[in-house]
Amino acid sequence: MNQTRRQRHWIAFSTLVTREIRRFFRIWPQTILPPAITMTLYFIIFGNLIGSRIGEMGGFSYMEYIVPGIIMMAVINNAYSNVASSFFSAKFQNHIEELIVAPIPNYLILAGYVAGGTARGLCVGVIVTLVSLFFTHLPIEHIAITISMVILSAILFALGGFINAIYARSFDEISLVPTFILTPLTYLGGVFYSISLLPEFWQNVSLLNPILYMVNAFRFGMLGVSDIPVVAAFSIILLFIVLLTSFALYLLNKGTGLRN
Amino acid sequence: MKALSINNLSKTYGNGFKALEQISLDVEQGDFFALLGPNGAGKSTTIGVVTSLITKTSGTVNVFDTDLDENAELAKSYIGLVPQEFNFNGFEQVKHILITQAGYYGMPASDAEPRANELLKQLGLWEKRHTPSRALSGGMKRRLMIARALVHKPKLLILDEPTAGVDIELRRSMWTFLRRINKEGTTIILTTHYLEEAENLCRNIAIIDKGEIVENTDMKSLLNRLDKETFVLDLKYPLLQTIELYGLDYHHVDDTTIEVELSRGDSLNSIFELLSKHGVEVVSMKNKVNRLEELFLNLVETTEQAS
């Protein structure tokens, strides 16, 4: 081995990311196709059929208003479930041992899985965005905010999926969080409505939901409207990323769920 | 140089089970080393700690003079592991598994590809290179695990019962392959249940039982301890009295069966001559189980009695 440590790390990291991307493309009928179909149904039912009767929201047609939220919902769900299922499968089939015995630092293992989850989240996000163009015009007011927010959100939920997979002891346990926490928070996170429609009490309760910040900041990037200050959204997401990264690394270094 | 040096290694699991108690072990570079022991003795725990799959409770592990705690990356880069259980992604293609593993060790694709091809050919997996690993036969999966362990050209290859459940023909071909790579310079540590395998392949041996090393020596010395062989003689008529066999140790198993111990190099004829003198007729004779198996059982029984 004549390469420098940094070169070896880069090769190891890119190998892991490549393997993760190859995995979700290999099983595309399970990973890429279903979210595209589900989100298309959202556009048809909520955007077209119901939305035409709702009228405007935040100064935009209802279809335009919900598109950023639906894209974000697809990104979050797929980033999360990719890492959760891939890392748990690696544990379940014991091929996580390939990584544990190899000279890869734990932070690179985490980075590799998170990058893989982010890649799937973004891939599905692009597909849903393209599908949305069949239904509505999509302005992008602030491209930097749009792109950075979608990437940061994908990273954050990929980290969440990783921690879920570390603790999970069965496949049921990796679907518990998406079913009972992620989905309700997403639906209550302002994907389909502006929180200004809610009574004041519920507006304040909604502010405790981190997904609200992501959806609104992303919507601000695309449409230029948001229920919350964008700076607060970025700050909260960055804070959560730091917290979850630290916690995931702590679990990896401790060997929780991985080593006896 | 020592390929592996373990000092005062202990492992107590969360449930309080002491799997290893202060074991120390050295394996020289270039050695073909056997680590034997009954089920649950601590072999796999030892290997697990050396390969970072299990967290130790105390002690040190050095691989080619590199402390596993102080420079885990370098120490790990020296090791190739063939685990006891199949542990690859069943959905990945055989060749991808090798190239991916090489990548984890920092090997660029330009080197990993020819190395994977070379190993696939050497281990008879070339035709299956595009097959998902779950579709391989048991023997092929074993060979794939060996190929995967070797893809980054480790200096120390650790095999945890590599021939368990493998048919005789494949086992022999694996022995030939392992002998060759050992001759080419790879240090090999092997755990096995097949004592014949250890006797055939290994130069040095450690026997572990109940988390402690009960023997650590070279195979030749160990086998030389068997300077006596025991023969079981079936007699035509009951031997009811004690007879003098002039220097030969014997004891009654039952009225018509005796066991006679003979020093290595002594003539078997002497037994028959002495027995003939006493009018004892021998109907049949067999060699009692011996060599490594006998030593192994003795050592393990001794530790059981001691505890």
Side-chain angles (χ1 to χ4, degrees):
Chain A
M1 288 191 194
N2 296 320
Q3 312 106 322
T4 63
R5 191 161 173 257
R6 185 176 290 185
Q7 284 172 319
R8 286 198 303 275
H9 283 179
W10 171 249
I11 291 169
F13 171 74
S14 54
T15 300
L16 181 53
V17 177
T18 306
R19 196 197 70 177
E20 284 302 289
I21 293 174
R22 194 169 57 222
R23 188 194 80 91
F24 72 72
F25 273 120
R26 185 178 60 229
I27 50 173
W28 64 270
Q30 296 171 45
T31 53
I32 308 286
L33 194 58
I37 293 173
T38 307
M39 299 308 158
T40 305
L41 289 171
Y42 279 131
F43 289 136
I44 293 170
I45 296 165
F46 292 105
N48 255 2
L49 302 179
I50 299 173
S52 58
R53 293 165 191 236
I54 290 175
E56 282 196 350
M57 192 168 288
F60 293 89
S61 71
Y62 189 63
M63 176 67 95
E64 280 177 316
Y65 189 82
I66 65 168
V67 162
I70 286 177
I71 294 170
M72 185 56 94
M73 187 161 74
V75 171
I76 285 171
N77 283 334
N78 282 278
Y80 189 96
S81 61
N82 192 75
V83 182
S85 58
S86 177
F87 193 74
F88 181 73
S89 293
K91 274 173 55 177
F92 187 75
Q93 294 184 66
N94 286 332
H95 65 83
I96 192 64
E97 291 177 0
E98 291 176 339
L99 279 166
I100 296 173
V101 301
I104 308 178
N106 285 335
Y107 73 86
L108 278 184
I109 295 178
L110 178 64
Y113 273 97
V114 169
T118 304
R120 176 167 150 199
L122 296 180
C123 180
V124 171
V126 167
I127 291 170
V128 173
T129 305
L130 293 175
V131 170
S132 74
L133 293 175
F134 287 101
F135 298 91
T136 184
H137 166 68
L138 207 59
I140 296 185
E141 293 289 326
H142 310 284
I143 184 106
I145 291 175
T146 307
I147 291 174
S148 55
M149 182 48 62
V150 76
I151 291 173
L152 288 173
S153 302
I155 289 172
L156 177 58
F157 280 87
L159 283 164
F162 190 89
I163 292 167
N164 188 178
I166 280 186
Y167 280 113
R169 284 161 298 174
S170 67
F171 281 101
D172 288 340
E173 289 183 10
I174 59 168
S175 63
L176 285 179
V177 175
T179 306
F180 294 107
I181 298 174
L182 210 53
T183 305
L185 285 181
T186 309
Y187 279 88
L188 298 170
V191 172
F192 296 103
Y193 58 86
S194 164
I195 58 165
S196 61
L197 299 176
L198 301 174
E200 196 179 339
F201 173 78
W202 290 110
Q203 281 188 34
N204 290 332
V205 170
S206 294
L207 291 175
L208 298 173
N209 180 357
I211 293 177
L212 177 83
Y213 295 84
M214 295 172 204
V215 169
N216 274 282
F218 189 61
R219 184 175 285 135
F220 179 80
M222 286 188 143
L223 307 180
V225 294
S226 171
D227 291 338
I228 46 98
V230 176
V231 176
F234 275 98
S235 306
I236 285 173
I237 290 170
L238 286 171
L239 176 68
F240 272 102
I241 286 176
V242 171
L243 288 175
L244 293 196
T245 302
S246 307
F247 188 52
L249 281 176
Y250 165 76
L251 293 174
L252 271 179
N253 291 335
K254 206 176 152 206
T256 304
L258 301 173
R259 290 187 293 171
N260 285 308
Chain B
M1 183 191 271
K2 289 180 176 62
L4 178 67
S5 182
I6 295 174
N7 285 300
N8 299 320
L9 184 65
S10 294
K11 171 66 188 175
T12 305
Y13 285 100
N15 59 7
F17 175 67
K18 287 184 178 176
L20 297 174
E21 289 194 70
Q22 300 271 311
I23 68 160
S24 295
L25 192 67
D26 288 331
V27 178
E28 292 296 325
Q29 183 172 11
D31 201 355
F32 206 136
F33 190 93
L35 183 61
L36 300 187
N39 285 334
K43 304 185 297 289
S44 294
T45 301
T46 307
I47 286 174
V49 171
V50 171
T51 54
S52 308
L53 290 170
I54 294 173
T55 313
K56 66 181 173 7
T57 305
S58 63
T60 60
V61 175
N62 282 273
V63 186
F64 289 98
D65 290 343
T66 305
D67 190 308
L68 192 59
D69 292 331
E70 287 172 11
N71 193 348
E73 271 185 56
L74 184 59
K76 283 173 161 189
S77 70
Y78 292 135
I79 301 174
L81 171 68
V82 180
Q84 206 175 114
E85 307 286 342
F86 301 130
N87 69 342
F88 27 63
N89 186 340
F91 300 96
E92 267 193 283
Q93 292 179 12
V94 167
K95 193 170 168 180
H96 280 160
I97 288 173
L98 298 190
I99 291 175
T100 300
Q101 189 72 7
Y104 291 161
Y105 283 80
M107 190 185 266
S110 55
D111 294 342
E113 174 96 19
R115 175 66 177 158
N117 290 344
E118 179 192 341
L119 286 166
L120 289 169
K121 285 172 187 166
Q122 282 180 4
L123 286 154
L125 293 166
W126 180 248
E127 301 300 322
K128 300 284 183 184
R129 64 192 181 281
H130 299 309
T131 306
S133 65
R134 69 181 190 280
L136 297 180
S137 68
M140 285 177 176
K141 284 177 181 167
R142 289 262 166 225
R143 281 180 276 157
L144 175 57
M145 292 213 291
I146 294 177
R148 186 185 58 181
L150 289 171
V151 75
H152 64 285
K153 301 181 179 171
K155 291 164 79 175
L156 172 63
L157 178 66
I158 300 176
L159 303 108
D160 195 2
E161 298 187 24
T163 53
V166 165
D167 67 44
I168 293 169
E169 192 186 349
L170 179 58
R171 195 184 306 162
R172 300 274 166 175
S173 71
M174 280 166 73
W175 289 4
T176 307
F177 180 78
L178 293 174
R179 271 197 200 98
R180 201 183 79 217
I181 61 168
N182 177 243
K183 203 173 271 180
E184 288 166 0
T186 308
T187 308
I188 298 180
I189 298 174
L190 176 88
T191 78
T192 180
H193 273 126
Y194 300 108
L195 301 179
E196 181 201 4
E197 189 163 82
E199 193 179 336
N200 263 291
L201 293 170
C202 302
R203 287 188 286 280
N204 291 296
I205 183 168
I207 296 178
I208 187 168
D209 189 36
K210 294 188 171 61
E212 291 176 32
I213 302 285
V214 295
E215 188 58 71
N216 186 3
T217 183
D218 62 286
M219 188 70 77
K220 208 170 171 183
S221 307
L222 190 66
L223 293 174
N224 276 344
R225 281 193 216 161
L226 284 168
D227 52 352
K228 290 188 174 180
E229 286 185 280
T230 305
F231 293 94
V232 182
L233 306 180
D234 291 321
L235 310 178
K236 191 165 185 179
Y237 305 108
L239 182 62
L240 300 173
Q241 80 279 23
T242 303
I243 54 172
E244 181 58 60
L245 288 182
Y246 304 106
L248 287 182
D249 286 332
Y250 86 98
H251 71 272
H252 290 260
V253 177
D254 56 43
D255 287 351
T256 56
T257 311
I258 60 170
E259 282 185 0
V260 181
E261 275 194 353
L262 195 66
S263 296
R264 186 170 284 186
D266 283 354
S267 165
L268 280 172
N269 290 354
S270 60
I271 300 176
F272 297 110
E273 278 173 24
L274 290 166
L275 289 171
S276 297
K277 274 185 188 169
H278 290 87
V280 178
E281 280 189 57
V282 178
V283 181
S284 67
M285 180 179 82
K286 65 182 176 195
N287 195 340
K288 203 175 172 186
V289 176
N290 73 2
R291 294 184 69 81
L292 193 53
E293 194 165 324
E294 190 172 1
L295 274 170
F296 177 78
L297 290 172
N298 282 342
L299 286 163
V300 171
E301 277 168 15
T302 306
T303 55
E304 265 172 20
Q305 282 161 9
S307 63

